[in-house]
Coordinates of all heavy atoms in Angstrom, one line a residue:
P1 N -25.6 14.0 19.3 CA -25.0 12.8 18.9 C -24.8 12.6 17.4 O -23.9 11.8 16.9 CB -25.8 11.7 19.5 CG -27.2 12.3 19.8 CD -26.8 13.8 20.1
G2 N -25.6 13.3 16.6 CA -25.5 13.3 15.2 C -24.1 13.8 14.7 O -23.6 13.4 13.6
V3 N -23.5 14.7 15.5 CA -22.2 15.2 15.2 C -21.2 14.0 15.2 O -20.3 13.9 14.3 CB -21.7 16.3 16.1 CG1 -20.3 16.7 15.9 CG2 -22.6 17.5 16.0
L4 N -21.3 13.1 16.2 CA -20.4 12.0 16.3 C -20.6 11.0 15.1 O -19.6 10.5 14.6 CB -20.6 11.3 17.6 CG -20.4 12.1 18.8 CD1 -20.6 11.3 20.1 CD2 -19.0 12.8 18.8
L5 N -21.9 10.8 14.7 CA -22.1 9.9 13.6 C -21.5 10.5 12.3 O -20.9 9.8 11.5 CB -23.6 9.8 13.4 CG -24.4 9.1 14.5 CD1 -25.9 9.1 14.3 CD2 -23.9 7.7 14.8
Y6 N -21.6 11.8 12.2 CA -21.0 12.5 11.0 C -19.5 12.3 11.0 O -18.9 12.0 10.0 CB -21.4 14.0 11.0 CG -20.6 14.8 10.0 CD1 -20.9 14.8 8.7 CD2 -19.5 15.6 10.5 CE1 -20.1 15.5 7.8 CE2 -18.8 16.3 9.6 CZ -19.1 16.3 8.2 OH -18.3 17.1 7.4
L7 N -18.9 12.5 12.2 CA -17.4 12.4 12.2 C -16.9 11.0 12.0 O -15.9 10.8 11.4 CB -16.9 13.0 13.6 CG -17.1 14.5 13.8 CD1 -16.7 14.9 15.2 CD2 -16.3 15.3 12.8
M8 N -17.7 10.0 12.5 CA -17.4 8.6 12.2 C -17.4 8.3 10.8 O -16.5 7.6 10.2 CB -18.3 7.7 13.0 CG -18.1 7.8 14.5 SD -19.4 6.9 15.5 CE -19.2 5.2 14.9
D9 N -18.4 8.9 10.1 CA -18.5 8.7 8.6 C -17.3 9.4 7.9 O -17.0 9.0 6.8 CB -19.8 9.3 8.1 CG -21.0 8.4 8.4 OD1 -20.8 7.2 8.8 OD2 -22.2 8.9 8.4
Q10 N -16.8 10.4 8.5 CA -15.6 11.1 8.0 C -14.3 10.3 8.3 O -13.2 10.8 7.9 CB -15.5 12.5 8.5 CG -16.7 13.4 8.1 CD -16.9 13.5 6.7 OE1 -16.0 13.9 5.9 NE2 -18.1 13.1 6.2
G11 N -14.4 9.2 9.0 CA -13.2 8.4 9.2 C -12.6 8.5 10.6 O -11.6 7.9 10.9
Y12 N -13.2 9.3 11.5 CA -12.6 9.4 12.9 C -12.9 8.1 13.6 O -14.0 7.5 13.6 CB -13.3 10.5 13.6 CG -12.8 11.9 13.3 CD1 -13.2 12.6 12.2 CD2 -11.9 12.5 14.1 CE1 -12.7 13.9 11.8 CE2 -11.4 13.8 13.8 CZ -11.8 14.5 12.7 OH -11.3 15.7 12.4
S13 N -11.8 7.6 14.3 CA -11.9 6.4 15.1 C -12.4 6.8 16.5 O -12.5 7.9 16.9 CB -10.5 5.8 15.2 OG -9.7 6.6 16.0
S14 N -12.8 5.7 17.2 CA -13.2 5.9 18.6 C -12.1 6.6 19.4 O -12.4 7.5 20.2 CB -13.6 4.6 19.2 OG -13.8 4.7 20.6
A15 N -10.9 6.2 19.2 CA -9.8 6.8 20.0 C -9.6 8.2 19.6 O -9.3 9.1 20.5 CB -8.5 6.0 19.7
Q16 N -9.7 8.6 18.4 CA -9.6 10.0 17.9 C -10.7 10.9 18.5 O -10.5 12.0 19.0 CB -9.6 10.1 16.4 CG -8.3 9.6 15.8 CD -8.4 9.5 14.3 OE1 -9.4 9.1 13.7 NE2 -7.3 10.0 13.6
L17 N -11.9 10.3 18.5 CA -13.1 11.1 19.1 C -12.9 11.3 20.6 O -13.2 12.3 21.1 CB -14.4 10.3 18.8 CG -14.8 10.3 17.3 CD1 -16.1 9.5 17.2 CD2 -15.1 11.8 16.8
T18 N -12.4 10.2 21.3 CA -12.2 10.3 22.7 C -11.2 11.4 23.0 O -11.4 12.3 23.9 CB -11.7 9.0 23.3 OG1 -12.7 8.0 23.1 CG2 -11.4 9.1 24.7
E19 N -10.1 11.4 22.3 CA -9.0 12.4 22.5 C -9.6 13.8 22.2 O -9.4 14.8 23.0 CB -7.9 12.2 21.5 CG -6.7 13.2 21.6 CD -6.0 13.1 22.9 OE1 -6.0 12.1 23.6 OE2 -5.3 14.1 23.3
M20 N -10.4 14.0 21.2 CA -10.9 15.3 20.9 C -11.9 15.8 21.9 O -11.9 16.9 22.4 CB -11.5 15.3 19.5 CG -12.1 16.7 19.1 SD -12.9 16.7 17.4 CE -14.3 15.6 17.7
L21 N -12.9 14.9 22.2 CA -14.0 15.3 23.1 C -13.5 15.6 24.5 O -14.0 16.5 25.2 CB -15.1 14.3 23.1 CG -15.7 14.0 21.8 CD1 -16.7 12.9 21.9 CD2 -16.4 15.2 21.2
Y22 N -12.5 14.8 25.0 CA -12.1 15.0 26.4 C -10.9 16.0 26.6 O -10.8 16.6 27.6 CB -11.6 13.6 26.9 CG -12.8 12.7 27.5 CD1 -13.3 11.7 26.7 CD2 -13.3 12.9 28.7 CE1 -14.3 10.9 27.1 CE2 -14.3 12.1 29.2 CZ -14.8 11.1 28.4 OH -15.9 10.3 28.9
R23 N -10.1 16.1 25.6 CA -8.8 16.8 25.8 C -8.6 18.0 24.9 O -7.7 18.8 25.1 CB -7.6 15.9 25.7 CG -7.6 14.8 26.7 CD -6.4 13.8 26.5 NE -6.4 12.9 27.6 CZ -7.0 11.7 27.6 NH1 -7.8 11.4 26.6 NH2 -6.9 10.9 28.7
E24 N -9.4 18.1 23.8 CA -9.1 19.2 22.8 C -10.3 20.1 22.6 O -10.3 21.0 21.7 CB -8.7 18.6 21.5 CG -7.4 17.7 21.6 CD -6.2 18.5 22.0 OE1 -6.2 19.7 21.7 OE2 -5.3 17.9 22.6
S25 N -11.4 19.9 23.4 CA -12.6 20.7 23.1 C -12.8 21.7 24.2 O -11.9 22.2 24.8 CB -13.8 19.7 23.0 OG -13.6 18.9 21.9
G26 N -14.1 22.1 24.5 CA -14.4 23.0 25.6 C -13.7 24.4 25.4 O -13.6 24.9 24.2
L27 N -13.3 25.0 26.4 CA -12.7 26.4 26.3 C -11.5 26.3 25.5 O -11.2 27.3 24.7 CB -12.5 26.9 27.8 CG -13.7 27.2 28.6 CD1 -13.2 27.5 30.0 CD2 -14.5 28.3 28.0
K28 N -10.7 25.3 25.7 CA -9.4 25.2 24.9 C -9.7 25.1 23.4 O -9.1 25.8 22.6 CB -8.7 23.9 25.4 CG -7.4 23.7 24.6 CD -6.7 22.4 25.1 CE -5.5 22.1 24.3 NZ -4.8 20.8 24.8
G29 N -10.7 24.2 23.0 CA -11.0 24.1 21.6 C -11.6 25.3 21.0 O -11.3 25.7 19.9
L30 N -12.6 25.9 21.7 CA -13.2 27.1 21.2 C -12.3 28.3 21.1 O -12.4 29.1 20.1 CB -14.4 27.5 22.1 CG -15.7 26.6 21.9 CD1 -16.7 27.0 23.0 CD2 -16.3 26.8 20.6
S31 N -11.4 28.5 22.0 CA -10.5 29.7 22.0 C -9.3 29.4 21.2 O -8.7 30.4 20.7 CB -10.1 30.0 23.5 OG -9.2 29.0 24.0
G32 N -8.9 28.2 21.1 CA -7.6 27.9 20.4 C -6.4 28.5 21.2 O -5.3 28.5 20.7
L33 N -6.7 28.8 22.5 CA -5.7 29.5 23.3 C -5.3 28.8 24.6 O -4.2 28.5 24.9 CB -6.2 30.9 23.6 CG -5.3 31.8 24.4 CD1 -4.0 32.1 23.7 CD2 -6.0 33.1 24.8
S34 N -6.4 28.5 25.4 CA -6.1 27.9 26.7 C -7.4 27.3 27.3 O -8.5 27.8 26.9 CB -5.6 29.0 27.6 OG -5.4 28.5 29.0
H35 N -7.2 26.4 28.2 CA -8.4 25.9 29.0 C -8.6 26.7 30.2 O -9.6 26.5 30.9 CB -8.2 24.4 29.3 CG -7.1 24.2 30.3 ND1 -5.8 24.1 30.0 CD2 -7.1 24.0 31.7 CE1 -5.0 23.9 31.1 NE2 -5.8 23.8 32.1
D36 N -7.6 27.6 30.6 CA -7.6 28.3 31.9 C -8.4 29.5 31.8 O -8.1 30.4 31.0 CB -6.2 28.6 32.3 CG -6.0 29.0 33.7 OD1 -6.8 29.9 34.1 OD2 -5.1 28.5 34.4
M37 N -9.5 29.6 32.6 CA -10.3 30.8 32.6 C -9.6 32.1 32.9 O -9.9 33.2 32.3 CB -11.5 30.6 33.5 CG -12.5 31.8 33.6 SD -13.3 32.1 31.9 CE -14.4 30.7 31.8
R38 N -8.6 32.1 33.7 CA -7.8 33.2 34.0 C -7.1 33.8 32.8 O -7.1 35.0 32.5 CB -6.7 32.9 35.1 CG -7.4 32.6 36.5 CD -6.3 32.0 37.4 NE -5.9 30.6 36.9 CZ -5.2 29.8 37.7 NH1 -4.8 30.1 38.9 NH2 -4.8 28.6 37.2
T39 N -6.5 32.9 32.0 CA -5.9 33.3 30.7 C -6.9 33.9 29.8 O -6.6 34.9 29.1 CB -5.2 32.1 30.1 OG1 -4.2 31.6 31.0 CG2 -4.5 32.5 28.8
L40 N -8.1 33.3 29.7 CA -9.1 33.7 28.7 C -9.6 35.1 29.1 O -9.8 36.0 28.3 CB -10.2 32.7 28.6 CG -9.8 31.3 28.1 CD1 -11.0 30.4 28.0 CD2 -9.1 31.4 26.8
L41 N -9.9 35.3 30.4 CA -10.4 36.6 30.9 C -9.4 37.7 30.6 O -9.8 38.9 30.4 CB -10.8 36.5 32.3 CG -12.0 35.7 32.7 CD1 -12.2 35.5 34.2 CD2 -13.3 36.5 32.1
A42 N -8.1 37.4 30.7 CA -7.1 38.4 30.5 C -6.8 38.7 29.0 O -6.0 39.6 28.7 CB -5.8 38.0 31.2
S43 N -7.4 37.9 28.1 CA -7.0 38.0 26.7 C -8.1 38.9 25.9 O -9.2 38.9 26.3 CB -7.0 36.6 26.1 OG -6.8 36.7 24.7
D44 N -7.6 39.6 24.9 CA -8.5 40.3 24.0 C -8.6 39.6 22.7 O -9.2 40.1 21.7 CB -8.0 41.7 23.8 CG -6.6 41.8 23.2 OD1 -6.0 40.7 22.9 OD2 -6.1 42.9 23.1

């Protein structure tokens, strides 16, 4: 949760954090490619 406190101090709003945490993170965020495991397994 300290990450969220830091990002709030950097000016991120609640709406921006919600969008990032729910829709732009996880496999999609880490890979920068896709949220689909089939796509990731086929990628080098």
Side-chain angles (χ1 to χ4, degrees):
V3 173
L4 302 182
L5 297 177
Y6 168 78
L7 293 175
M8 290 169 65
D9 287 341
Q10 298 302 304
Y12 280 80
S13 68
S14 172
Q16 288 173 316
L17 290 174
T18 297
E19 179 69 19
M20 179 179 68
L21 297 177
Y22 277 97
R23 297 180 175 87
E24 300 297 332
S25 298
L27 293 172
K28 178 182 177 181
L30 284 173
S31 70
L33 180 65
S34 175
H35 70 278
D36 193 313
M37 182 59 73
R38 294 167 293 189
T39 301
L40 299 181
L41 286 170
S43 174
D44 58 3

